[in-house]
Amino acid sequence: EAGVAQSPRYKIIEKRQSVAFWCNPISGHATLYWYQQILGQGPKLLIQFQNNGVVDDSQLPKDRFSAERLKGVDSTLKIQPAKLEDSAVYLCASSLERQPTGELFFGEGSRLTVL
Amino acid sequence: AQSVAQPEDQVNVAEGNPLTVKCTYSVSGNPYLFWYVQYPNRGLQFLLKYITGDNLVKGSYGFEAEFNKSQTSFHLKKPSALVSDSALYFCAVRDGGSYIPTFGRGTSLIVHP
């Protein structure tokens, strides 16, 4: 079974530029999450999708971050314009169902460096 | 509200010795508890979870965790550490009414040969 795919693995940009990250979840997984992991911290949820609908985006900085999952499969996370404090690893995860008891399956992450 | 604390930034242990990585939690309802491991430049991998039942949960790679309701703890353990166990370990919690897990800040486990 293929895992969660993410690209690019690494991205370096200057502040005020834009960047986009792509995620392809495990086949059949209805729930998709984007997490931000700053160095030395645990993952922090940015947004959760159930199929192609947003379930929770309360911690997404909507003035600069946006995410979509148009066909209920792949997802894209965009940052525009980027700030220095956005330097982090962006993790995509998926789960089979939207249940509290289910574990998440993570991709390898996209490391963003903002100069 | 739900939260999780990992009181140790780093745990050092000699190969072959038992290891413990600590986790305490706070939830308003029933807790669902998870441990994940992260190797360098990789995503998080699921190790084990506690949902209900036996307080001692067994997981991947010989790890186990003990759920203690009175102490609100879910410590990760392994009887004999391997150098290859060196990684970042994250505890996560969901309460019964939440679909979103909250992660701790992680504990770096270093196993010395």
Side-chain angles (χ1 to χ4, degrees), chain A residues 9-10 33 35 37 40-43 45 48 56 91 98-104 106-108 111, chain B residues 32 34 36 38 41-44 46 49 51 88 90 94-96 98-101 103-106:
Chain A
R9 287 295 311 279
Y10 305 92
Y33 310 76
Y35 280 87
Q37 186 180 17
Q41 300 181 19
L45 182 75
Q48 180 191 22
D56 189 317
L91 295 166
R98 186 172 168 250
Q99 289 187 359
T101 57
E103 62 266 31
L104 273 59
F106 285 84
E108 295 194 333
R111 182 179 297 275
Chain B
Y32 300 126
F34 305 79
Y36 290 81
Q38 186 177 34
N41 298 314
R42 305 295 296 275
L44 279 70
F46 169 75
K49 65 181 176 182
I51 305 302
L88 265 176
F90 291 93
R94 279 165 154 158
D95 75 26
S98 171
Y99 296 100
I100 300 169
F103 286 84
R105 61 182 295 148

Side-chain angles (χ1 to χ4, degrees), chain B residues 11-21 61-63 77-86 89 109-113:
Chain B
V11 170
N12 290 278
V13 65
E15 187 174 31
N17 283 0
L19 69 87
T20 299
V21 182
Y61 311 121
F63 284 92
K77 300 180 180 183
K78 188 173 183 182
S80 178
L82 299 172
V83 172
S84 57
D85 292 330
S86 298
Y89 290 82
L109 172 67
I110 299 175
V111 181
H112 302 278

Side-chain angles (χ1 to χ4, degrees), chain B residues 5-11 20-23 89 105-108:
Chain B
Q6 293 182 243
E8 303 155 317
D9 288 338
Q10 185 171 303
V11 170
T20 299
V21 182
K22 296 179 180 178
C23 171
Y89 290 82
R105 61 182 295 148
T107 298
S108 177

Side-chain angles (χ1 to χ4, degrees), chain A residues 11-21 64-65 78-84 86 112-115:
Chain A
K11 189 73 176 180
I12 300 173
I13 61 173
E14 295 188 350
K15 59 183 179 183
R16 291 187 290 275
Q17 287 186 326
S18 63
V19 63
F21 302 114
R64 298 182 301 104
F65 286 65
K78 297 180 181 178
I79 307 174
Q80 182 179 12
K83 292 185 174 181
L84 296 177
D86 298 332
L112 173 65
T113 302
V114 182
L115 303 176

